[in-house]
Amino acid sequence: MTEAAFLAPRRRATVYEAYEAPFPVPRSDAEAMRCRESVYRADLVNQQVLVRDPAHIELLYGQGYFGKGILSRARPDYSLSDRWQEFEGRQIPVISKARYEQLLSWRRDYLLSKGMDEEAVNQILVRLSEPIEPAAESEEAGLAQTEDSSQKKRKRSSSTDEQRRIGNTGNQDRQHTDPAPRTGSSPVDDSSPMADSSPMADSSPVADSSPVADSVLDSAPGTDSAPEYVLVEGDSDEEEGGSEVNQGGVRRLPFSTTEVLQLTLEEAFFLVYALGCLSVHHNQKPLSISELWGRFRGVQPGFESSYAAYHYYRSRAWVPKPGAKYGAHFMLYRKGPPFYHASYSVVVEQVRSSGASLRPFTWRSLAALSRITANVSKELMMCYIIYPADLSEAELTSPLSLHRLTVQEVVIKRWISSRERAELDDI
Amino acid sequence: MADPSKTDDSERIFSELLSPSELFAARSRSRKLPVRGQKDFYPSGCTQQKQRLQNSLDEHWELVSEERVERLGNLVRGIWNPSDQIVELQSPAGKFWQTMGFSVDGKQCLQPEEALYLMECGNLQVFHRDLPLSIQEGYETFLSSSQLSLQQYQVFGHLKRLGYVVSRFHASSVPSLYERQLNLPPSRDRGANQLKRKRSPSPEATATVASSPRPSEKQEDSTNPSSAQDKATNHSEPSAAQQPIPEGRRPPADDDVTGRNWWSDGLVPPEQQQDGGPSHGGPTSRWDFLSIQFPDLGARDTPGPLAPPDPALLPGAMAVGVCSVSSWLRRLNTWREKQPGGKQRRRREEEEERARRRTGPDREVQGCRSWAEYRRIMERRRKGSRRSDSKPAHLWEKDVTPLHDPRQGTSTAELLEKISVVKPSRWADKSCSVEAVGTWQISFDVHQPAVNTEFRKSSPGMPYSRMCVCSFDGPVPALGELQHVSQQSGDVPVTMAVVDHGDISFYTFKHFLLPCDLPQ
């Protein structure tokens, strides 16, 4: 059987990004000295690996295209709105009234789920949705401004872009006293950053690290003591403050959502084991590599084979991304998804004396997969992970068994007899 | 054939020869195929649709039930030989002989699938026990053997109708590794080979062919002038090859079973080889390496100019004069000339110059006098730029440690090298045992259509591909089976032909090694 020819990957028509680095590790000693942390942090939550720190998210995705933002299509760039406007020296997002109402309703559901009664919830919501006057704002926040205005401004300018990109409106250590004296409610005492609480009300085990603070009014989930502002577009075109509640104006953000990067199990294990630049925590306890291997194998059957394939492709400097969209295990990209179209869709198969195949094929399913792959202009590749005959089950409990596996790739193509006759192509 | 409108068979006398009116009707019937209209996707229940469906069904039925009319003189006669499973032609073959069929003892013969295909085309009429075979009988007779199944015939027919040249696959036609090393021309008349397959393949046949080219190339090697140390090897190989030649001819006549023994007879005991060149006979070498002297230019007393070589040894009319060695001697033993001003000072200046170039423009580093100072400077700088970042204990203190430490900067190429733990395997490595490979056999060789390429049956050349036929309801080949099939085929790619009740799809499985994509 002859060897399949390698076709160069097709470049995308427009590329909006610049290529940074293949892996999130420094490439020289100078870079190593410049970067602050060499190990990033992730949490194993409900059998998913999540990275919450926005700086880490940025680095992990930007260098190597690991993971996927849960609120975005691929790159974690969720932001509340596309349009921003100036308000008191900072940028606030502009959202439509319908969206504001939606956020209010989410806040309402959240408060109700905490066990508060309707009466209290309604009151809170009314107070929350009061418009903010720019003049009044400056008077009550005057004290705070003098203290940390300079600090704020510096942080603001440096982190505005980051804020916008990640949309993480609350994870910053700004000590901004809210209009508590104005409304007469209890002063804000939760100065501790609640960085770990994820906003999804349904996934309560996620927010297991820190409880919601007492001052429910001002601390929307996902924010710390600083409430964020949004500019709500009313029915009329008036956009600045001073209008009524039902029309537009600057309001407090009732509900904010934080973007979190989700890593697949193979990506997470690769970062931990091969690069040593990630540490995965479970219930605040860091996991060692063997523990991680055991857990992942328990969660996903066939993990050792799919991880071996992932590791192999990463060590050949290709970027494998999950290929569920095309019925395969992985899609292989050269350099990364933004630059080239995926060249191969990989199905992983294990060749073992014991154990069934990961994905038993019939000719019918193979024909279907081959057609799908041809329709999206990719090539179907089978990746066989060959286990030596003397590799026992006990040895597989350690990740060191990876060193003994070998990989064989086979490209499957459909040959059309009539077309070949006409074009006289090579098989 | 079955004509549904004529129910009364007894009245109609079935005759093969047509009356003039029938012949005229057959000649002039329309050759157009029924036109395929647009598809309807669901039954709408209206009469128009039903009528359309009925019309197209009737057209198809008429087409399929058409009698085939052929001139008797055009039909080639053949006789079915069940014991050998071939069809022998009685009358000379037509145009199809260019790409199909084979000759045996002067008779033209066809394989069963070729015969059936020609019968369906209307070129051949096969007789068995003096009666012509119908198409149905042809299918039953030819395809009942174990060598040819219906699916294989369907693939054969499909490819032939597209114009390819399809022939049977013979495992012996694939050159083995040994034959490829020898670069033998491909053997002719493959059709005859399969009938003579009763004879076991004889090892002597290949061995005698093998031994004759080897001494001849060794002789050519040895006539080239070579230096003294090649003398021993040069002499050993021709002598080892020469000895088996006379002896090798003997065993094939004597014993067939132990045909391989003559290699051990042919080995020359080593002590005979060291005797020096000329004692072994004429054709080995004309050089007496003991008497060739090389001048020693490095000797203390400088030798004079070199004498010209013997003109008998030079090719053609080349004349070489005396060679002066003074220019070569000048290049030997060139010490560096001494500099004025004292050795110590000069050396110190040189070292300082080199040190300055090495350490670069960093003044602090230039100022330090020892490695310890340098390390202190680096440590101080590192501490100043970032906070101390110790190794996470849960990763590094346990039994399995990461492959790479991100606190060190490593170039991408080195990093990839480090993490390449899962290695690719080579296609030739048989990864797993072969259990049930009986189902995966190569059936046919396929060559490109004969119209465009020159095709000679005697030397068809490398096939375009080889076909392995399987059923759509069967299993997909696993890796071991793929490797086995590709090994059977040698260098030619193998295509899987999957037959689904007449529909054939072709898939190729090719091994591949993903290239490493090093970023700049």
Side-chain angles (χ1 to χ4, degrees):
Chain A
M1 206 169 290
T2 52
E3 181 145 353
F6 173 67
L7 302 167
R10 295 173 300 132
R11 246 202 118 88
R12 285 194 192 261
T14 40
V15 176
Y16 299 100
E17 294 177 23
Y19 183 65
E20 292 175 33
F23 295 118
V25 288
R27 283 183 287 185
S28 62
D29 281 325
E31 264 186 60
M33 279 199 274
R34 267 203 304 267
C35 69
R36 298 183 174 275
E37 305 166 296
S38 58
V39 179
Y40 309 116
R41 185 195 152 120
D43 294 294
L44 180 63
V45 168
N46 274 358
Q47 304 176 352
Q48 296 165 15
V49 181
L50 303 172
V51 179
R52 294 192 171 120
D53 188 336
H56 294 180
I57 292 176
E58 194 64 28
L59 283 166
L60 279 177
Y61 192 85
Q63 302 179 3
Y65 301 97
F66 290 92
K68 176 194 177 296
I70 58 175
L71 297 175
S72 325
R73 187 173 171 225
R75 178 174 268 273
D77 53 2
Y78 171 76
S79 77
L80 200 53
S81 162
D82 294 333
R83 294 169 299 154
W84 294 71
Q85 209 166 28
E86 174 85 26
F87 180 72
E88 291 186 354
R90 62 181 166 173
Q91 301 283 334
I92 57 172
V94 179
I95 59 176
S96 68
K97 186 136 176 54
R99 184 101 172 105
Y100 182 69
E101 301 283 325
Q102 190 185 40
L103 293 174
L104 273 180
S105 70
W106 286 353
R107 184 59 189 280
R108 180 198 170 81
D109 293 338
Y110 176 71
L111 290 174
L112 283 174
S113 74
K114 287 288 169 186
M116 306 174 69
D117 57 337
E118 289 249 1
E119 192 56 48
V121 167
N122 285 340
Q123 275 186 0
I124 290 171
L125 283 185
V126 160
R127 271 185 293 172
L128 187 62
S129 52
E130 279 172 352
I132 311 290
E133 307 294 331
E137 179 67 22
S138 59
E139 124 201 332
E140 106 258 330
L143 288 169
Q145 293 249 342
T146 50
E147 284 167 15
D148 55 359
S149 60
S150 52
Q151 190 184 14
K152 237 185 345 188
K153 284 211 176 76
R154 228 187 313 125
K155 279 200 183 155
R156 222 180 287 141
S157 55
S158 63
S159 57
T160 309
D161 292 332
E162 202 179 304
Q163 184 185 3
R164 269 203 218 171
R165 269 194 302 198
I166 296 181
N168 192 343
T169 51
N171 277 1
Q172 291 166 24
D173 291 349
R174 285 195 311 201
Q175 296 295 320
H176 182 94
T177 61
D178 53 344
R182 183 156 150 257
T183 55
S185 62
S186 56
V188 177
D189 50 357
D190 56 337
S191 49
S192 62
M194 299 196 303
D196 287 338
S197 60
S198 173
M200 295 300 153
D202 52 347
S203 60
S204 43
V206 175
D208 54 356
S209 41
S210 48
V212 181
D214 305 327
S215 159
V216 165
L217 169 63
D218 303 304
S219 56
T223 65
D224 51 2
S225 53
E228 279 301 311
Y229 296 115
V230 285
L231 184 60
V232 182
E233 280 179 334
D235 302 326
S236 63
D237 278 348
E238 278 188 66
E239 287 195 349
E240 255 311 316
S243 49
E244 300 168 8
V245 178
N246 282 337
Q247 299 202 344
V250 181
R251 309 293 168 84
R252 268 188 288 273
L253 181 67
F255 198 90
S256 73
T257 50
T258 14
E259 176 95 69
V260 160
L261 187 77
Q262 179 172 4
L263 299 172
T264 64
L265 301 186
E266 289 96 2
E267 289 169 342
F269 196 77
F270 179 79
L271 287 168
V272 174
Y273 178 57
L275 298 183
C277 67
L278 187 75
S279 81
V280 182
H281 295 244
H282 178 69
N283 290 336
Q284 304 301 319
K285 196 171 68 73
L287 296 174
S288 75
I289 294 185
S290 318
E291 284 172 13
L292 208 60
W293 176 257
R295 271 179 192 266
F296 285 167
R297 279 189 73 211
V299 167
Q300 192 173 315
F303 174 72
E304 53 269 4
S305 304
S306 64
Y307 177 69
Y310 185 88
H311 189 111
Y312 171 73
Y313 288 119
R314 276 286 182 185
S315 66
R316 310 288 283 182
W318 287 73
V319 176
K321 295 294 274 177
K325 284 190 279 237
Y326 302 110
H329 282 107
F330 298 117
M331 312 296 298
L332 287 191
Y333 290 90
R334 187 190 170 201
K335 274 168 90 179
F339 308 105
Y340 289 88
H341 291 283
S343 314
Y344 295 98
S345 77
V346 178
V347 174
V348 178
E349 186 61 77
Q350 56 185 12
V351 177
R352 261 167 110 155
S353 49
S354 65
S357 74
L358 287 178
R359 193 204 166 129
F361 268 119
T362 59
W363 280 114
R364 195 178 300 269
S365 58
L366 185 67
L369 188 60
S370 170
R371 282 288 200 160
I372 294 171
T373 315
N375 272 0
V376 292
S377 318
K378 301 199 199 306
E379 290 208 13
L380 179 62
M381 190 192 316
M382 297 283 299
C383 180
Y384 291 97
I385 309 291
I386 301 169
Y387 287 73
D390 54 349
L391 191 66
S392 63
E393 194 54 46
E395 285 180 49
L396 279 173
T397 51
S398 155
L400 294 175
S401 56
L402 280 176
H403 297 246
R404 297 189 61 191
L405 304 179
T406 50
V407 167
Q408 176 65 253
E409 297 150 283
V410 173
V411 171
I412 301 179
K413 247 180 126 168
R414 191 167 155 246
W415 180 60
I416 303 173
S417 45
S418 49
R419 198 201 296 164
E420 294 283 350
R421 166 93 167 85
E423 292 175 352
L424 283 183
D425 271 330
D426 214 352
I427 285 191
Chain B
M1 314 302 173
D3 198 346
S5 56
K6 301 273 173 73
T7 49
D8 201 354
D9 280 337
S10 54
E11 283 190 356
R12 188 166 176 268
I13 300 169
F14 184 67
S15 162
E16 280 189 23
L17 294 176
L18 298 172
S19 67
S21 53
E22 283 176 331
L23 187 63
F24 193 67
R27 273 278 178 98
S28 57
R29 62 184 163 207
S30 147
R31 308 255 160 189
K32 284 199 318 217
L33 287 171
V35 168
R36 285 186 184 187
Q38 213 173 17
K39 271 199 265 194
D40 278 340
F41 290 98
Y42 54 89
S44 63
C46 63
T47 41
Q48 275 179 345
Q49 195 188 52
K50 282 196 196 141
Q51 191 59 41
R52 266 207 307 265
L53 277 173
Q54 192 58 39
N55 283 347
S56 54
L57 275 175
D58 289 339
E59 255 189 278
H60 273 95
W61 185 262
E62 262 184 57
L63 196 68
V64 170
S65 63
E66 221 175 53
E67 271 184 333
R68 294 181 203 173
V69 177
E70 196 61 49
R71 272 188 69 188
L72 204 57
N74 281 352
L75 291 175
V76 179
R77 275 181 57 99
I79 295 200
W80 170 242
N81 188 339
S83 56
D84 285 335
Q85 298 279 314
I86 56 171
V87 170
E88 292 165 3
L89 297 182
Q90 303 293 323
S91 45
K95 212 157 168 248
F96 61 83
W97 191 247
Q98 279 179 355
T99 55
M100 293 200 282
F102 57 95
S103 289
V104 150
D105 292 334
K107 287 165 73 75
Q108 294 178 323
C109 300
L110 288 174
Q111 301 280 7
E113 67 267 12
E114 295 168 340
L116 186 56
Y117 175 73
L118 288 170
M119 272 170 68
E120 285 198 303
C121 283
N123 292 344
L124 178 70
Q125 203 179 22
V126 182
F127 289 83
H128 183 50
R129 298 191 183 125
D130 288 335
L131 286 174
L133 292 175
S134 67
I135 302 284
Q136 181 175 355
E137 283 173 340
Y139 267 83
E140 283 170 4
T141 328
F142 298 157
L143 301 185
S144 63
S145 69
S146 58
Q147 285 196 352
L148 190 68
S149 69
L150 175 62
Q151 291 174 342
Q152 287 175 335
Y153 175 69
Q154 281 174 329
V155 172
F156 178 87
H158 174 92
L159 289 172
K160 286 250 20 133
R161 275 186 276 272
L162 287 170
Y164 292 96
V165 175
V166 187
S167 51
R168 274 213 188 167
F169 171 70
H170 302 288
S172 55
S173 67
V174 177
S176 68
L177 194 60
Y178 185 63
E179 284 173 337
R180 271 193 283 186
Q181 280 175 346
L182 300 176
N183 240 357
L184 282 181
S187 60
R188 295 161 178 264
D189 204 11
R190 286 203 331 264
N193 271 350
Q194 55 143 11
L195 286 183
K196 297 174 189 164
R197 227 185 271 160
K198 299 288 171 17
R199 251 189 19 199
S200 59
S202 47
E204 326 79 36
T206 50
T208 45
V209 167
S211 57
S212 36
R214 279 188 68 227
S216 55
E217 27 183 27
K218 288 297 170 287
Q219 282 177 15
E220 287 173 21
D221 274 345
S222 56
T223 48
N224 295 331
S226 46
S227 66
Q229 57 240 56
D230 283 343
K231 168 181 77 124
T233 49
N234 251 0
H235 283 281
S236 63
E237 282 168 21
S239 55
Q242 273 191 350
Q243 294 261 354
I245 292 173
E247 296 181 3
R249 305 248 182 257
R250 276 190 284 111
D254 294 354
D255 49 309
D256 249 1
V257 182
T258 57
R260 298 223 182 262
N261 281 347
W262 61 274
W263 275 119
S264 52
D265 290 336
L267 272 181
V268 182
E271 48 270 14
Q272 283 185 22
Q273 295 170 12
Q274 305 298 339
D275 272 344
S279 62
H280 267 269
T284 53
S285 155
R286 326 187 253 124
W287 297 95
D288 181 11
F289 298 109
L290 287 175
S291 56
I292 296 179
Q293 299 287 342
F294 282 102
D296 183 12
L297 287 182
R300 286 289 156 196
D301 43 349
T302 57
L306 295 179
D310 185 7
L313 301 171
L314 296 174
M318 212 167 108
V320 177
V322 173
C323 177
S324 140
V325 296
S326 46
S327 65
W328 296 103
L329 286 178
R330 241 181 281 129
R331 292 187 203 181
L332 291 176
N333 292 344
T334 47
W335 299 111
R336 212 170 18 169
E337 288 160 353
K338 290 204 163 95
Q339 304 260 351
K343 254 196 306 193
Q344 291 256 343
R345 195 187 64 169
R346 188 72 203 152
R347 205 176 293 156
R348 213 178 333 125
E349 277 174 28
E350 271 178 18
E351 279 182 28
E352 277 176 59
E353 181 68 42
R354 256 181 266 134
R356 209 170 302 136
R357 263 185 266 125
R358 263 202 303 264
T359 57
D362 199 341
R363 297 230 54 103
E364 213 177 346
V365 172
Q366 261 183 32
C368 60
R369 290 274 131 214
S370 70
W371 273 111
E373 275 194 50
Y374 175 69
R375 263 188 245 122
R376 277 198 289 273
I377 292 174
M378 285 292 121
E379 199 57 41
R380 184 166 35 91
R381 283 192 189 164
R382 204 177 302 130
K383 280 211 174 62
S385 65
R386 67 165 190 192
R387 55 194 161 93
S388 61
D389 200 22
S390 58
K391 277 185 182 179
H394 60 276
L395 290 181
W396 291 95
E397 306 291 323
K398 299 291 174 75
D399 47 352
V400 183
T401 59
L403 296 173
H404 171 70
D405 186 4
R407 298 177 306 151
Q408 308 159 358
T410 325
S411 75
T412 311
E414 284 174 25
L415 181 56
L416 289 179
E417 195 56 46
K418 241 184 181 183
I419 63 178
S420 290
V421 151
V422 183
K423 300 272 192 285
S425 82
R426 287 169 307 143
W427 185 243
D429 300 340
K430 274 291 189 64
S431 58
C432 44
S433 65
V434 160
E435 289 100 18
V437 283
T439 46
W440 305 100
Q441 300 288 343
I442 300 181
S443 310
F444 300 114
D445 292 342
V446 177
H447 297 262
Q448 284 285 19
V451 178
N452 301 333
T453 59
E454 298 269 327
F455 184 78
R456 298 274 169 270
K457 261 194 304 191
S458 46
S459 61
M462 279 267 281
Y464 181 55
S465 160
R466 295 205 160 109
M467 288 288 152
C468 178
V469 179
C470 52
S471 160
F472 196 69
D473 303 316
V476 177
L479 183 65
E481 290 153 355
L482 285 175
Q483 284 173 328
H484 177 82
V485 166
S486 76
Q487 206 192 33
Q488 270 189 346
S489 157
D491 280 336
V492 179
V494 173
T495 311
M496 296 280 163
V498 185
V499 182
D500 177 27
H501 302 295
D503 260 332
I504 307 176
S505 333
F506 299 93
Y507 291 96
T508 59
F509 294 78
K510 289 189 186 166
H511 66 280
F512 185 61
L513 185 64
L514 195 66
C516 190
D517 180 31
L518 275 180
Q520 282 79 29

